[in-house]
Amino acid sequence: MNPLKFLSFLLLFIIISCSSEQKKAKTDTIKILLPMDPERLNPVYDPRSIGREVFQYLHLPLADYHPEKLKLYPILIEEIPTLKVDEKGSFYKLNFKKEATWNDGTPITTKDYEFTIKSVLHPETVIKSWKPYIRKINDLEIIDDHSCKVYVDDTYMLSLEITCTPYLLPFHSYPKGMDIMKLSLQEIKELTDESNPELAEFINEFNDPKNYKGSLGNGPYTLKDWVTDQKVSLEKTPEFWGAESKDNPFLAANIDKIEFVILADELAAVTAFKDGQLDVIKGLSAANFKQLNAGYPEAEYLTSPSTRLYYLALNNKDKLLKDPSIRKALAALTNVESMIDNIEFGYGVALTGPIHPDQGAYNERLSSQIYNPEKAREILKSAGWKDTNSDGTIDKMVDGVQEELVLDILITGSDLGKKIALLLQDETKKLGIGINIVPKDIRRMRKENLYNYNFDIAALAATVDLAPIDPYRRWHSDNIDAKGNNVSGYNSSAADSLINLIRETRNIEERERISEEFHEIVYNDQPVIFLYAPTYKVAINKNFKGTVTSKRPGYLANTFKVL
């Protein structure tokens, strides 16, 4: 070969090789924005919704709702079971995949399932949100390491979901776990706090806060590094058991590393995205999302309906806000349509209650057009509120004390929270209601205010699942307690009765009819001010191709493809 041609060929080969290596180095890690630290990454230990953005790659449930089909889809089990009946009662038979393992190579078995269910049920374990649901499991019959029968209360609407969607805990990682395995499900249900001192060592082991952060996983990625309030780094699980299941989106691992960059400042996040330091941004304000789209067109911009609900929690136990007339007046002064138009640029749907508008149980007869300042004025006047001392704020004698109608609204400090609070403050001021805006970190807010009902108003968000809505946890009076999920302290015997009926009704049409009636009672009682369901807005940088889904948190980065 001509030496000159050979040198040219060699130079071209080196350039192509270097370019390929640079591209690989650049794209083997996808960097995703997290607006706050996830705090907990163990899905069993009551994590916050932000934690799902991370733990969905570390831990797998038995089954989950498919991101495209939006139907239950098997992950750790062979198929979605059907309800059957034998002499002991109604049951679902679970067949675990024999190839499924924990990420240390230990097989996932029915022992892990039994251990998880029993641990959650014990009254002294720290798990709160799962307990009322898992109690609907009546008994377990272990057939072998990979199959079992789960006997359920077949009148409960979510009996299938509670059976086959739990995340599991690795039994072999809890040295004292055998202690609780000696008890039957029924024996555990009959326990009260401190009624079984023999389990004290297990309870201490199980409740150790080190478990909150995460435990041994079974997912396509493994936690490699976590610097609080800075970053969370994941790496593809070596020899992952599900690597060959190409058609299962939950088992995919198309990218070697996933790094979550924790950044609260939106403008800093936008700059990082433009500079290539972030590859995925979800949760931008509509204004920043629209501006980024216009100024940085080479990225991909996707939207999808979300299952998130924004609302203003009102403390129904407060001496002033326990009066429904004040709550209704505040609602009539909340211009939700203006928020959707001016804050969200149309990316949202107004709410009338605790049920998402896309759910079949949503009561479409109820109007979201409740903004009416004149009606608010009439409500307050009829309730006896007026400015008797000419200080610009209306007042009234309440329990023998002259009370000024001045309320604090807690916000997390986000731009969205500030805008919503300022709009409310501006409207209420016109009628002589004082609103003080109090920014506070969400962790402090929960600890100092929400858990003990030490607040007036709080700007909050909730995320619902794709499963039929069970309103028990958030709206039943059973859950008005320390760290309860009924954060507004809503107490209605009529609502409680309907919630109980909803949970026990398996006929879908009848259940939706009862749910609509419950929706209307909440609408009329106004325990909180329902705002809107936002749209998921996701920006993906040019090195990756991805899709979005209405299933929370809106995307699966493990399914993204490198371009």
Side-chain angles (χ1 to χ4, degrees):
M1 179 184 286
N2 184 303
L4 187 58
K5 285 186 177 181
F6 175 76
L7 287 174
S8 299
F9 175 78
L10 182 62
L11 181 61
L12 180 62
F13 176 78
I14 292 171
I15 291 171
I16 292 173
S17 298
C18 289
S19 176
S20 298
E21 287 300 314
Q22 287 174 352
K23 183 177 181 181
K24 185 178 187 302
K26 187 176 182 181
T27 58
D28 67 352
T29 300
I30 188 168
K31 295 188 176 183
I32 302 172
L33 171 70
L34 271 191
M36 65 181 73
D37 193 88
E39 300 181 41
R40 300 182 181 192
L41 289 181
N42 191 322
V44 178
Y45 284 81
D46 296 337
R48 312 301 167 197
S49 59
I50 191 71
R52 182 180 289 269
E53 303 243 2
V54 181
F55 75 63
Q56 63 179 337
Y57 309 113
L58 304 171
H59 302 275
L60 298 170
L62 274 66
D64 204 348
Y65 281 85
H66 193 283
E68 295 175 8
K69 301 173 184 177
L70 303 181
K71 292 183 178 180
L72 277 179
Y73 192 78
I75 304 173
L76 300 179
I77 53 177
E78 295 286 357
E79 67 280 313
I80 302 300
T82 56
L83 190 67
K84 297 181 179 179
V85 179
D86 64 13
E87 65 279 0
K88 289 176 62 176
S90 300
F91 70 92
Y92 293 101
K93 185 182 178 187
L94 297 177
N95 295 308
F96 285 68
K97 292 182 177 178
K98 293 181 180 179
E99 68 270 24
T101 66
W102 295 100
N103 289 343
D104 65 355
T106 304
I108 294 172
T109 72
T110 50
K111 269 194 172 62
D112 299 309
Y113 186 81
E114 180 184 4
F115 172 70
T116 302
I117 298 301
K118 288 181 174 180
S119 300
V120 169
L121 270 179
H122 194 287
E124 290 185 77
T125 56
V126 292
I127 314 303
K128 293 183 70 70
S129 60
W130 280 38
K131 280 192 200 316
Y133 302 103
I134 297 300
R135 287 190 71 84
K136 297 294 185 179
I137 294 178
N138 294 332
D139 198 9
L140 292 176
E141 181 183 315
I142 305 301
I143 300 171
D144 55 38
D145 281 351
H146 292 98
S147 60
C148 65
K149 290 182 179 181
V150 184
Y151 289 88
V152 296
D153 176 357
D154 63 3
T155 65
Y156 180 46
M157 58 181 284
L158 297 179
S159 61
L160 174 62
E161 284 79 4
I162 62 169
T163 298
C164 66
T165 61
Y167 288 86
L168 300 182
L169 294 171
F171 170 58
H172 68 286
S173 293
Y174 291 79
K176 297 295 181 181
M178 186 56 72
D179 295 348
I180 198 168
M181 296 288 268
K182 296 173 184 177
L183 299 178
S184 69
L185 234 59
Q186 191 56 42
E187 287 172 326
I188 294 172
K189 287 184 178 183
E190 292 172 358
L191 292 175
T192 57
D193 289 356
E194 301 179 2
S195 66
N196 196 321
E198 294 84 3
L199 286 175
E201 289 187 7
F202 164 71
I203 295 300
N204 289 335
E205 175 187 72
F206 189 89
N207 289 346
D208 190 327
K210 72 180 182 182
N211 296 321
Y212 302 174
K213 288 258 179 177
S215 61
L216 178 65
N218 55 16
Y221 291 85
T222 302
L223 179 65
K224 300 304 292 184
D225 190 25
W226 184 354
V227 182
T228 302
D229 292 326
Q230 293 185 40
K231 68 175 183 177
V232 182
S233 301
L234 316 181
E235 286 187 2
K236 188 185 294 189
T237 300
E239 300 179 12
F240 175 54
W241 66 269
E244 299 304 314
S245 301
K246 304 298 184 184
D247 60 338
N248 192 322
F250 302 103
L251 306 181
N254 293 344
I255 298 164
D256 291 342
K257 300 175 184 178
I258 301 177
E259 182 173 308
F260 294 89
V261 180
I262 301 167
L263 199 57
D265 188 293
E266 274 202 20
L267 293 179
V270 168
T271 299
F273 185 76
K274 289 180 177 179
D275 290 345
Q277 297 170 27
L278 283 173
D279 299 302
V280 180
I281 294 184
K282 192 203 83 173
L284 285 182
S285 67
N288 284 334
F289 182 76
K290 206 167 185 180
Q291 188 174 11
L292 182 62
N293 193 343
Y296 191 66
E298 51 265 48
E300 186 176 22
Y301 299 89
L302 305 173
T303 61
S304 172
S306 82
T307 54
R308 201 159 171 78
L309 311 176
Y310 290 157
Y311 65 101
L312 299 179
L314 305 176
N315 183 0
N316 289 217
K317 299 174 75 173
D318 176 74
K319 61 185 175 182
L320 300 182
L321 289 169
K322 66 182 181 182
D323 180 355
S325 64
I326 296 179
R327 303 198 300 266
K328 291 179 179 180
L330 289 171
L333 291 170
T334 305
N335 194 340
V336 175
E337 291 300 327
S338 176
M339 292 177 186
I340 294 173
D341 291 341
N342 299 313
I343 298 177
E344 297 290 352
F345 291 85
Y347 290 118
V349 180
L351 298 173
T352 58
I355 299 173
H356 193 279
D358 288 343
Q359 291 275 354
Y362 189 79
N363 191 330
E364 296 181 352
R365 298 185 302 275
L366 304 176
S367 173
S368 62
Q369 306 293 325
I370 61 172
Y371 173 67
N372 189 334
E374 275 309 307
K375 182 179 178 181
R377 188 188 303 275
E378 291 171 10
I379 292 172
L380 293 169
K381 184 177 179 182
S382 298
W385 290 92
K386 54 185 177 180
D387 186 4
T388 62
N389 53 14
S390 302
D391 65 349
T393 305
I394 56 177
D395 53 82
K396 176 185 174 180
M397 290 292 292
V398 178
D399 298 330
V401 179
Q402 193 75 14
E403 295 283 357
E404 300 281 331
L405 191 46
V406 177
L407 304 166
D408 290 345
I409 179 169
L410 297 173
I411 63 171
T412 62
S414 69
D415 187 54
L416 174 63
K418 290 175 187 175
K419 289 178 178 178
I420 289 174
L422 286 169
L423 279 174
L424 181 65
Q425 185 185 57
D426 183 58
E427 291 288 347
T428 55
K429 185 178 180 181
K430 298 171 185 176
L431 295 191
I433 301 173
I435 295 288
N436 300 316
I437 300 173
V438 183
K440 186 175 282 193
D441 176 80
I442 186 62
R443 285 171 283 195
R444 283 186 57 212
M445 188 191 299
R446 284 196 295 264
K447 183 178 179 180
E448 298 173 6
N449 307 99
L450 302 181
Y451 288 161
N452 54 18
Y453 299 99
N454 180 30
F455 72 99
D456 299 325
I457 308 172
L460 299 175
T463 305
V464 297
D465 284 313
L466 293 171
I469 297 297
D470 178 356
Y472 176 79
R473 189 160 63 97
R474 293 187 187 277
W475 301 101
H476 199 286
S477 63
D478 283 356
N479 295 310
I480 303 174
D481 59 11
K483 296 189 179 182
N485 290 286
N486 185 344
V487 71
S488 64
Y490 178 50
N491 191 341
S492 163
S493 58
D496 285 353
S497 297
L498 290 173
I499 290 171
N500 293 336
L501 272 177
I502 290 168
R503 305 185 88 208
E504 296 167 0
T505 303
R506 291 190 65 85
N507 180 277
I508 295 175
E509 290 183 1
E510 178 65 9
R511 187 171 67 232
E512 290 184 350
R513 184 194 65 76
I514 300 168
S515 296
E516 288 182 9
E517 190 176 342
F518 160 73
H519 186 164
E520 187 168 3
I521 285 177
V522 175
Y523 178 86
N524 291 326
D525 287 347
Q526 200 74 63
V528 308
I529 300 172
F530 297 99
L531 301 177
Y532 57 92
T535 299
Y536 283 136
K537 301 177 287 293
V538 181
I540 304 172
N541 232 324
K542 56 188 176 182
N543 292 324
F544 299 93
K545 178 72 175 177
T547 58
V548 292
T549 170
S550 58
K551 179 186 182 299
R552 64 174 176 165
Y555 66 97
L556 281 172
N558 60 313
T559 64
F560 286 13
K561 291 181 172 60
V562 178
L563 296 179

